Amino acid sequence: RRQRQGGEVGWSSGVDHGAIVPPPRASLAVTALTAGRAQPLQARTTRAADDAEARGRREGEKGRWRRDSQGVTTRAYGVDGMEGQLTREQQVREQVRTALGTVRPLVTMSRDGLVITALEWGAAGQAAYETATAAAAAGDLELREQGSGEVPTIEAVTRTKPVVIFAGDTVVGGKQNRIINITVWLPAKAVTAIPVSCLELGRWNQGYAFATSRKVDYLMRARMSDQLADVAMLEQQMAADGSGHAPVHRSYAANQGDVWAEISAKEARIGVHSRTSALHDLYEREAIDLGALVRAFPCPSGASGIAVGIGGKLVAAELFDAPSTLAEQWPRLIEGAASAYADHPSRQRLSFPPA
């Protein structure tokens, strides 16, 4: 263990500091990057599949591993005397279960009530894409309003390389600032619609193009995740009751009114007013305090994930498919963690000496 001068950051290898336990309502979001589009894997339980799998195990059928024509390894279980191959959904669930079993803490860093743990896992490899921030900076990605402008959707135009834009990323400009609702794979040389939510209630002007900006804080992301799950459940119920009002495809929409209400509540909590009720205006008031905190948590070599603890509770965990992606996104993730820490009930305002 090594302690930096001034007591800013505690370091350890593979050891967690503090009592970090999951909050009562925790969720895991996994995005599978597939050729042509992104398909978020919903955190729903396929009860029949799980029950069949459990019965097969209880009846002593350990299953036989198979490799199909595409090289995908699956396991077939015998259930009620019949052998059934796992569905594609079950295959992915099995792969996710296996991959998550390899996650382990690499380095843990702490400062006051903020704990950052760098993670590594067996699924990490090489990135076959650019991140939206890197692509936009290189001129390989254009983000713009869709048509004359629609609040819940913007467009992405890619050049020669595929791009990934992450949930929680924000874009500024256009007719109003937005947050990206879900992680989306943007194929090369394509125009892709992206589900978004508004972060600026008081502006709707003639803007068209967007610039990439920071991530929202982890507390806002957690609330967005809950909203997306609630809207998805409502859409499923509408489809089930046969009323004809359900969307043809899942919208990946949040509750826009709740997003605006959270920004308004944040204004009240920190005592700052934005003329257009823009979340980014509130973040600008944090920049001086948070900069030192961001510099205090460098990205460890070889890490491919991050876990964030605030006030003794685990508030977020993210895993990436490549260490290079995490390294590029790390300062943005730490900034989001620091903003959440600054807005934590136990904190009024951060004021740290330069790190």
Side-chain angles (χ1 to χ4, degrees):
R1 187 170 189 271
R2 181 169 66 87
Q3 188 76 20
R4 292 183 60 181
Q5 292 296 321
E8 295 98 341
V9 181
W11 297 71
S12 67
S13 179
V15 179
D16 289 330
H17 293 293
I20 303 179
V21 296
R25 183 175 184 180
S27 61
L28 172 67
V30 180
T31 299
L33 301 180
T34 60
R37 64 181 297 181
Q39 179 59 56
L41 306 178
Q42 301 312 308
R44 67 178 187 274
T45 300
T46 308
R47 184 178 299 276
D50 287 350
D51 288 350
E53 186 175 325
R55 287 200 303 274
R57 288 195 174 102
R58 286 198 301 270
E59 292 168 11
E61 292 288 338
K62 295 183 180 180
R64 293 187 293 277
W65 289 103
R66 292 177 170 178
R67 184 176 298 275
D68 65 16
S69 60
Q70 297 178 338
V72 177
T73 301
T74 60
R75 190 178 347 205
Y77 293 96
V79 180
D80 297 330
M82 299 180 64
E83 184 177 314
Q85 188 173 3
L86 294 178
T87 66
R88 289 291 179 180
E89 182 174 309
Q90 288 174 288
Q91 291 173 29
V92 174
R93 286 163 58 82
E94 183 76 16
Q95 292 167 16
V96 169
R97 188 179 296 116
T98 300
L100 291 179
T102 68
V103 177
R104 75 178 189 90
L106 183 65
V107 175
T108 294
M109 299 165 277
S110 63
R111 184 167 180 173
D112 286 355
L114 177 61
V115 179
I116 302 294
T117 299
L119 307 172
E120 62 178 0
W121 67 322
Q126 299 295 317
Y129 54 85
E130 286 186 296
T131 65
T133 46
D140 294 330
L141 174 66
E142 176 190 357
L143 297 165
R144 66 194 189 191
E145 294 284 3
Q146 185 176 56
S148 59
E150 299 178 9
V151 172
T153 309
I154 65 172
E155 284 184 345
V157 183
T158 52
R159 310 300 186 212
T160 59
K161 300 178 182 179
V163 175
V164 172
I165 190 165
F166 294 108
D169 284 357
T170 66
V171 293
V172 295
K175 296 183 181 298
Q176 54 189 189
N177 301 342
R178 312 290 221 290
I179 178 177
I180 309 302
N181 288 355
I182 62 170
T183 297
V184 180
W185 173 276
L186 308 173
K189 300 179 181 179
V191 178
T192 307
I194 301 175
V196 296
S197 299
C198 171
L199 297 178
E200 189 177 17
L201 173 61
R203 181 174 71 90
W204 183 264
N205 57 20
Q206 299 304 310
Y208 182 67
F210 292 98
T212 56
S213 186
R214 60 162 290 166
K215 291 182 180 291
V216 297
D217 64 87
Y218 274 111
L219 296 182
M220 173 66 84
R221 288 184 63 185
R223 293 184 176 100
M224 288 287 296
S225 178
D226 286 344
Q227 290 178 30
L228 289 166
D230 291 342
V231 171
M233 183 176 296
L234 177 61
E235 291 174 348
Q236 290 173 358
Q237 291 172 348
M238 293 169 64
D241 65 22
S243 63
H245 299 298
V248 177
H249 302 289
R250 182 178 169 184
S251 66
Y252 297 103
N255 186 316
Q256 185 60 72
D258 287 351
V259 175
W260 286 331
E262 173 55 29
I263 295 173
S264 178
K266 186 177 180 71
E267 284 184 293
R269 287 196 299 270
I270 67 177
V272 174
H273 174 71
S274 167
R275 181 178 57 83
T276 60
S277 297
L279 181 62
H280 288 78
D281 289 348
L282 310 185
Y283 286 149
E284 286 181 3
R285 295 293 299 269
E286 298 175 339
I288 296 176
D289 292 325
L290 298 185
L293 198 59
V294 169
R295 292 189 296 272
F297 293 100
C299 181
S301 175
S304 51
I306 183 173
V308 179
I310 299 177
K313 293 184 179 296
L314 177 67
V315 299
E318 295 198 74
L319 295 169
F320 294 83
D321 65 337
S324 60
T325 301
L326 175 67
E328 191 260 337
Q329 291 288 301
W330 182 269
R332 297 161 54 77
L333 298 169
I334 297 299
E335 188 176 42
S339 287
Y341 177 50
D343 198 21
H344 192 269
S346 65
R347 307 290 304 181
Q348 293 299 317
R349 183 161 177 80
L350 290 174
S351 180
F352 290 102

